[in-house]
Amino acid sequence: MRARRRYASGLSLLCTAALIALVAPQAGAVLDAGRGYGRMGPANARTVAVNPATGADFEMPFVCGETWTGSSRSSHSPSRYTVDFNAPNDLGRPVVASAPGVVTRAVSLTTSYGRHVVIDHGNGYSSLYAHLNSIRTTVGTHLDQGDLVGYLGTTGNSTGPHLHFEERLNGAYFPPYFHRTTYDWGAQTSANCGDSPIVGDWNGGADDVGVHRATASAGEFWQLVGSSSRRIASGRSNYYALVGDWDGNGLDEVGYRAPGSTTIVRRAANGALSIITGFGLITDAPVTGDWNGDGTSEVGVYRSSDQTFRLRYPLGKVAVVHWGAPGERGVTGDWNGDGRTDLGTFDPATGQWTLRVRSGGSYVSRTVQYGGLGDLPAVGDWNGNGVSDLGVWRMRTAVFYKRVPSAPGSYVSRTTTYGARR
């Protein structure tokens, strides 16, 4: 399920000097056209050549299907390659992650970039989102492409609402690109519409795979049932997708949480909706699991800012569990087959899982290496034996890799291609 993504060999935090250059206002600010003023970066910004086909997978920093107009100019600070985006009635509109990565900076300034966020995408690539009205993420959070960053505003050295957006490689600027194509400036429609993996038991037995698909009009759950696909339209394109057995009948249903909201919506098989309001913070990532072993799924959240799970039990009781490290994603599964869901984390930078396994009246930590840079976790009971197995969805190929037990202490990888690659 979508626990939304430390990216990599390149996922070092931006060096101190680069960060200072990135955000420090400089003397001699001058008024610029295009609703922005102030020197927001180095006076002579470095540039570099980048191949859009092999660089980070940047999409427009807006919700799937929205049309925005971007502009720049030779005097645009800190580089002519930075983009000022506008759309009708744009104040307060959602700004989303252009590519998967870890938040390395979420800062509120009264000058320069104002409220702004920096995301590290690995291999030296980063993006910056400036002049936000409000920030809706925290440092250390792994964001998937399309996850909420904040809302468009006019903070800092800005003379009107707009999003100041930057793409960088090792601190240097390059001609911006989206959807693997160099940006032609002017009006463009966001193709930030990628699939994300979901896993559940759709028809009884072993778990099955699926994807949550963003479209211009709605969110869609696509479930692979045998050799056929089943589509369920529910929620919107950039919502968090959830999967759980809400009624305890042994089959999984879907649900969602809107970005910027603490309300979780569960959808029954007949389409009826049940709502849990005011749970967690808007920056938390929702998770699901059977925390008490009663056969029914409950909800929870993973808070990246302090690496804690908050698990909601029946009757509203909440348990807090500290687990994980900055940049990791919270995952859940029954690691020992006792009927109760356990916790863990997955590091998309390294493919390392750190599982919290119940052992008697206490817990032990188990680490497993499975998957690699950029993969998304996909936990499922692949052979129907009641124990959750590990898996990943490789977004660039749309392939699920499932770690299936073959003998005591040994495993094989099985693959299923499903969804649209990105």
Side-chain angles (χ1 to χ4, degrees), residues 68 85 90-93 95 131-133 150-153 161-163:
W68 290 74
F85 278 111
D90 51 14
L91 181 64
R93 297 270 289 274
V95 174
H131 305 314
L132 299 173
N133 186 51
Y151 294 98
L152 186 143
H162 72 288
L163 175 68

Side-chain angles (χ1 to χ4, degrees), residues 244-253 266 288-299 312-314 339-341:
D245 182 0
W246 312 129
D247 58 9
N249 70 347
L251 300 180
D252 284 313
E253 295 88 31
R266 301 174 296 185
T288 62
D290 183 358
W291 315 130
N292 62 359
D294 67 354
T296 302
S297 295
E298 296 291 340
V299 300
R312 185 181 185 274
Y313 282 77
R340 290 179 292 177
T341 302

Side-chain angles (χ1 to χ4, degrees), residues 221-232:
F221 293 87
W222 287 85
Q223 302 169 340
L224 182 60
V225 183
S227 59
S228 301
S229 286
R230 179 170 60 200
R231 172 185 172 272
I232 300 173

